[in-house]
Amino acid sequence: MRLFFLCFFAVFLCLPLRGEEPVLQVQRELRARKYYFGEIDGKASEETVAAIGKFQLAKGIDKTGNLDAETLRALDLPAGTQAASDEAHALDAVCDFVLRYWQVRESNDWERVAPFYAGEVVYYSEGILKLSALRERSAEDNRRWPGRKFILLNRIASLLPERSDTAQVTARVRTQAAGNSSPARALTEDLIFRLRKTEKGWRIIAVKLLE
C-alpha cells in the first residue's frame, strides 16, 4: 500500500482508558445524547468517528477528531490524571506506530517487521508465540498471499490506567489479497493491539480479533 493511500484513509481518535473498553464508553455516551445510532460494539467505525465530530461541533469544541480532555469532560468521561501533554505525545506515538506497522507489513520483509513485536506476543487465538514462530507464520502468509495490501481505516488509541507504559489500539483494517492460485479477496477486520513501551520504543505484545 502506498503511503499516500494509507495517510488518506487513516483516521484516529485518542482517549485514556478507564474501566471498560473506551470505545464502548464513548458510543454509550453519544447514544444517550442522540449523536450516535449505531451498534454499541466497541469498534472503530466511521459512524463512531462522525458522531464524535458532530458532538464536538455542537459543544463548541474544535473539531479535531480527537477525544481530548475537553471532549471527554463534555461527555462526562474521566480524562485521567496524567499530564495532558505527556499523554498526547504518547498517544500520537502509538497511533504513528500502528500506521507504520501496516506500511511495513506490505513489504513482506520479516527483518523490517520483526522490530514491531516484543519477544513474545499473544497472537490471535494461537496463544503466546515467540518471534521464531511469528516468522514462520509470516512466511507462510507471504507465500499464500504475496500481493496483500492493507488500508488502515480507523484507529482509536488509549492508555491503560494500571500501567503507564502500556497502550491499547483498536484498529479497523481492510486487507486486499491476491494469491498465487486463489482468487483475489477483500476483508475488513477490527483488531485490538496491546503495546508496551520499551527502551527501544513501542512493541506489540498482543493482537486479537475483535468479535
Side-chain angles (χ1 to χ4, degrees):
M1 171 61 56
R2 294 183 178 87
L3 178 61
F4 173 81
F5 286 106
L6 276 166
C7 292
F8 180 82
F9 282 103
V11 178
F12 69 88
L13 309 172
C14 297
L15 66 159
L17 176 65
R18 296 293 182 269
E20 66 178 0
E21 294 293 340
V23 186
L24 287 173
Q25 288 184 345
V26 172
Q27 288 173 333
R28 286 196 177 98
E29 293 298 329
L30 291 173
R31 169 76 69 80
R33 291 162 172 77
K34 302 187 185 303
Y35 288 96
Y36 177 71
F37 302 96
E39 296 292 331
I40 307 296
D41 54 12
K43 297 181 179 181
S45 65
E46 293 182 10
E47 192 172 359
T48 303
V49 174
I52 292 170
K54 291 178 182 178
F55 177 77
Q56 289 175 322
L57 285 176
K59 294 299 181 181
I61 302 170
D62 289 341
K63 187 182 177 182
T64 62
N66 298 323
L67 277 168
D68 51 26
E70 187 177 5
T71 304
L72 289 171
R73 284 194 294 269
L75 284 167
D76 294 325
L77 293 174
T81 59
Q82 187 178 3
S85 60
D86 291 343
E87 183 175 290
H89 286 311
L91 291 171
D92 284 345
V94 168
C95 288
D96 181 65
F97 179 91
V98 173
L99 175 61
R100 288 186 291 109
Y101 168 76
W102 290 109
Q103 291 171 346
V104 172
R105 279 283 303 273
E106 287 195 355
S107 70
N108 292 339
D109 183 348
W110 172 253
E111 299 305 320
R112 295 179 59 196
V113 175
F116 285 87
Y117 294 114
E120 295 181 340
V121 179
V122 179
Y123 196 73
Y124 290 87
S125 60
E126 298 181 33
I128 300 176
L129 298 183
K130 295 184 180 295
L131 280 179
S132 57
L134 282 172
R135 180 173 186 169
E136 293 177 2
R137 174 65 180 273
S138 178
E140 179 182 347
D141 289 343
N142 292 342
R143 285 193 296 270
R144 184 177 180 185
W145 304 102
R148 286 179 300 170
K149 301 293 182 183
F150 302 105
I151 301 173
L152 182 57
L153 299 173
N154 295 300
R155 49 192 163 148
I156 299 178
S158 53
L159 299 179
L160 303 189
E162 66 273 16
R163 292 197 57 149
S164 60
D165 64 346
T166 306
Q168 177 173 297
V169 177
T170 302
R172 173 161 288 188
V173 182
R174 182 174 178 82
T175 302
Q176 297 174 341
N180 290 323
S181 57
S182 302
R185 66 174 185 175
L187 177 67
T188 300
E189 297 178 311
D190 289 283
L191 303 172
I192 295 180
F193 289 85
R194 280 289 174 94
L195 311 176
R196 179 74 42 79
K197 191 173 185 180
T198 70
E199 294 180 353
K200 296 182 179 180
W202 292 97
R203 295 293 183 269
I204 298 170
I205 61 172
V207 57
K208 70 174 183 177
L209 184 65
L210 179 60
E211 300 295 341

